[in-house]
Amino acid sequence: MILRNYSTITEFILMGLSDDPHIEALLFVVFLVIYFLTLMGNLMMLLVIRADAHLKTPMYFFLSNLSFLDICFSSVTVPKLLEDLLSEKKTISVEGCLAQVFFVFITAGTEAFLLSVMAYDRYAAICHPLLYGQVMSSHLCVRLVLVSWGLASLNSFVIVLLAVNLNFCEDQTIHHYICELPSLFPLSCSVISTIVNILICSILLHGLGPFFLIFFSYVRIISAILSISSTTGRSKAFSTCSSHLTAVILFFGSGLIRYLMPTSGSSLDLYFSLQYSVVTPMVNPLIYSLKNKEVKAAVKRTLRKYL
């Protein structure tokens, strides 16, 4: 993909999270630790799921893909943030900025679709347990993951191809720590109404679409759980869904607010972006390991095996 821009602007200045050197040094340590925990936590999940024979089920296949995706998602944003926290000149080329927009869209979009696929998996397991093995075959699981990547990639290409044609005026300052498309609109001297409308439609289809699939899946799941007469059975069914619901709330809550609300340039924009792109990839493996007895048991077996 060739990225080009017809304006005289060749680079942007990222304002980052702070202009105080002492605070930037502290933030560098904080985000370095967050990035390390993100990599280690998700790599641990990948290793445990791959090594443990008890976790060869569709749910853990999707979870391993989620862990891989979180590593990619975090690596799109955090390394550049760490670099800028140590640099006096916080610049990024126009091409690099648009590339970051592309990879943010493809990783975030794939994660949205993957979370909806995981909700469907829970629906099939709880509402149709006798047919679960036939419904969630290995071929279907692989196809669902590939379709998630494919739809997100198509959406990302369309958005970035439109963004390439934006002309940027004299203002080079992005009041953010990464390149997000809403943060570029105030810098453009092009007519942006078309791309804004397409972006909104994209978010509604690729953001709210998977969210409503998750919502309707859980309406059926909760209805099925409440019909279970055994208290132990209800508790076990709820426990298998609580981790996924927590991940959905963290990701969709902040992501949809960030892209559907107008860009204000305030600290709220930074907060919601940090939540869905930095914090969520770090806490996902913690959520799935701390609330899942099978994962905790698999971690112990894996540690015994290798240590």
Side-chain angles (χ1 to χ4, degrees):
M1 182 176 64
I2 300 176
L3 298 175
R4 16 183 224 123
N5 193 278
Y6 297 105
S7 61
T8 57
I9 298 297
T10 59
E11 64 181 16
F12 296 116
I13 300 171
L14 293 166
M15 292 298 290
L17 299 175
S18 174
D19 55 2
D20 187 327
H22 299 291
I23 296 178
E24 285 185 328
L26 176 62
L27 290 174
F28 175 82
V29 174
V30 170
F31 284 104
L32 182 63
V33 171
I34 288 175
Y35 188 52
F36 176 79
L37 292 175
T38 301
L39 294 181
M40 291 302 100
N42 286 289
L43 285 172
M44 181 203 71
M45 292 295 294
L46 285 170
L47 173 63
V48 168
I49 292 171
R50 182 176 180 83
D52 196 284
H54 296 82
L55 303 183
K56 303 300 181 183
T57 63
M59 181 175 74
Y60 295 107
F61 171 73
F62 295 133
L63 182 55
S64 65
N65 279 275
L66 181 65
S67 294
F68 172 74
L69 190 58
D70 280 336
I71 292 173
C72 298
F73 195 9
S74 183
S75 298
V76 171
T77 58
V78 180
K80 177 60 179 172
L81 172 60
L82 292 173
E83 178 192 344
D84 289 342
L85 287 171
L86 293 180
S87 304
E88 291 185 7
K89 189 179 180 183
K90 301 174 176 60
T91 59
I92 185 171
S93 66
V94 172
E95 290 80 7
C97 190
L98 292 175
Q100 194 173 55
V101 169
F102 172 79
F103 286 112
V104 166
F105 265 97
I106 193 172
T107 49
T110 305
E111 183 151 341
F113 284 117
L114 189 58
L115 288 171
S116 66
V117 168
M118 293 171 74
Y120 176 73
D121 172 71
R122 292 299 82 210
Y123 160 76
I126 293 173
C127 298
H128 304 286
L130 298 179
L131 299 175
Y132 179 69
Q134 298 176 0
V135 173
M136 300 302 296
S137 64
S138 58
H139 294 294
L140 176 63
C141 293
V142 172
R143 285 199 294 268
L144 288 173
V145 171
L146 292 177
V147 167
S148 298
W149 278 98
L151 290 174
S153 300
L154 178 62
N155 176 57
S156 303
F157 272 110
V158 171
I159 292 296
V160 172
L161 285 176
L162 291 171
V164 164
N165 294 316
L166 291 175
N167 290 311
F168 297 101
C169 305
E170 296 180 0
D171 189 4
Q172 297 175 261
T173 304
I174 298 176
H175 296 279
H176 213 294
Y177 68 94
I178 58 171
C179 287
E180 285 184 328
L181 198 54
S183 299
L184 296 181
F185 290 153
L187 309 183
S188 175
C189 47
S190 303
V191 178
I192 62 171
S193 57
T194 301
I195 189 172
V196 169
N197 290 334
I198 292 175
L199 178 63
I200 291 174
C201 292
S202 170
I203 299 303
L204 291 176
L205 289 173
H206 295 87
L208 289 179
F211 178 78
F212 282 123
L213 287 174
I214 294 169
F215 175 78
F216 289 122
S217 294
Y218 272 99
V219 169
R220 299 291 300 275
I221 288 170
I222 292 171
S223 176
I225 290 175
L226 293 177
S227 65
I228 298 174
S229 58
S230 169
T231 304
T232 305
R234 285 199 300 269
S235 177
K236 184 178 179 180
F238 271 121
S239 67
T240 62
C241 299
S242 59
S243 300
H244 180 255
L245 271 176
T246 305
V248 167
I249 292 169
L250 288 174
F251 178 77
F252 279 95
S254 54
L256 289 177
I257 291 174
R258 174 67 185 103
Y259 278 89
L260 291 179
M261 294 293 289
T263 299
S264 62
S266 68
S267 58
L268 281 178
D269 292 341
L270 299 176
Y271 169 77
F272 289 123
S273 295
L274 286 170
Q275 173 64 55
Y276 84 88
S277 67
V278 178
V279 177
T280 299
M282 178 188 68
V283 300
N284 273 346
L286 294 175
I287 291 170
Y288 281 100
S289 60
L290 292 176
K291 290 191 173 185
N292 193 309
K293 293 180 181 179
E294 291 181 349
V295 172
K296 287 191 284 188
V299 169
K300 292 177 182 178
R301 288 192 295 267
T302 304
L303 291 176
R304 283 199 298 267
K305 179 180 178 181
Y306 288 99
L307 299 181

